[in-house]
């Protein structure tokens, strides 16, 4: 079995989760940024990860999944600034799953990811009140994904592979 772990990561959080997942895979495997992947042909399974951008999935990742994952067995992993108890999180995660609605979605993992300082400053200056609110959340996101979230990603990887 050949497994792909692919990710889109602007500030490194989703990449950390990708690396943890990758380490748990004991079969033939590849770890690649999504922009280096042309299709899912030749892989038996793919973990695909991306950050939330602008209250939804990162566009390039959503486009890739819609185009290439129809009828393919995949798992998604997402990082976002929202804490797990935020009431908007469930809706946001459903939006992130939507591009995979024609895929065979075997697993889904999400955790918080630190809002980078530069990004927080950009959001604060955006002139968009919703984005400004996000910028102010930076302190709550510091240090994520933390050791516990990385460990959970490892367990997620093992459990997902076992389901195949
Ligand atoms: C342009 C931009 C928009 C973002 N919008 C959201 C958002 O709407 N909701 C959210 O929870 N996090 C948002 N974030 C935070 C990122 O999803 C979070 O920091 C993520 O862990 C970044 O992952 P990365 O380091 O792999 O790029 C945004 C980040 C950026 C850069």
């Amino acid at each position: 079995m050949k497994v792909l772990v692919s990710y889109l990561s602007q500030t490194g959080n989703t990449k950390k989760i990708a690396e943890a997942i990758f380490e748990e895979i004991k079969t033939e495997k590849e770890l690649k940024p999504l922009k280096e992947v042309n299709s899912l042909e030749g892989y038996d399974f793919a973990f695909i990860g991306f950050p939330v951008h602008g209250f939804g999935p990162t566009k390039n990742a959503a486009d890739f999944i819609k185009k290439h994952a129809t009828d393919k067995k995949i798992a998604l992993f997402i990082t976002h600034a929202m804490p797990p108890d935020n009431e908007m999180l469930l809706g946001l995660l459903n939006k992130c799953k939507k591009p995979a609605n024609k895929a065979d979605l075997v697993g889904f993992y999400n955790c918080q990811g630190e809002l980078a300082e530069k990004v927080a400053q950009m959001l604060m200056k955006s002139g968009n009140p919703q984005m400004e609110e996000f910028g102010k959340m930076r302190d709550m996101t510091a240090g994520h994904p933390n050791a516990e979230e990385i460990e959970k990603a490892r367990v997620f990887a093992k459990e997902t592979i076992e389901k195949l």
Side-chain angles (χ1 to χ4, degrees):
M1 184 168 76
K2 187 170 175 185
V3 178
L4 172 70
V5 181
S6 189
Y7 59 90
L8 204 149
S9 185
Q10 196 177 322
T11 60
N13 299 328
T14 317
K15 187 177 180 201
K16 278 186 200 158
I17 300 295
E19 287 167 349
I21 290 172
F22 185 72
E23 281 172 20
E24 294 306 319
I25 298 165
K26 307 299 175 204
T27 58
E28 195 185 346
K29 58 183 181 177
E30 278 179 21
L31 177 67
K32 273 188 183 178
L34 196 61
K35 62 176 191 284
E36 291 176 15
V37 179
N38 297 322
S39 84
L40 297 178
E41 294 311 316
Y43 301 103
D44 300 296
F45 189 74
F47 288 89
I48 301 174
F50 53 86
V52 166
H53 276 181
F55 307 99
T58 312
K59 187 177 180 306
N60 287 353
D63 289 349
F64 180 92
I65 294 162
K66 279 189 235 161
K67 188 167 175 198
H68 296 290
T70 302
D71 296 333
K72 301 273 183 202
K73 276 187 192 296
I74 63 167
L76 298 180
F77 57 101
I78 316 288
T79 69
H80 50 80
M82 277 190 194
D85 59 356
N86 187 297
E87 58 186 19
M88 281 160 64
L89 183 59
L90 193 62
L92 181 67
L93 297 178
N94 282 335
K95 249 175 142 179
C96 290
K97 283 181 190 167
K98 225 173 165 190
N101 61 5
K102 291 193 177 132
D104 180 0
L105 187 63
V106 179
F108 184 83
Y109 179 77
N110 81 93
C111 71
Q112 225 181 341
E114 180 168 319
L115 198 57
E117 171 84 56
K118 260 191 189 165
V119 175
Q121 283 175 9
M122 183 191 82
L123 294 174
M124 305 273 263
K125 289 181 198 151
S126 68
N128 174 333
Q130 256 183 327
M131 291 293 179
E132 285 168 15
E133 279 309 305
F134 251 113
K136 290 181 201 157
M137 278 171 47
R138 177 174 146 73
D139 287 354
M140 286 163 56
T141 68
H144 292 278
N146 58 25
E148 189 189 342
E149 288 158 331
I150 289 178
E151 181 53 31
K152 281 188 179 162
R154 291 181 188 280
V155 172
F156 159 74
K158 271 189 260 179
E159 289 180 352
T160 303
I161 293 287
E162 277 165 20
K163 278 192 216 166
L164 299 177

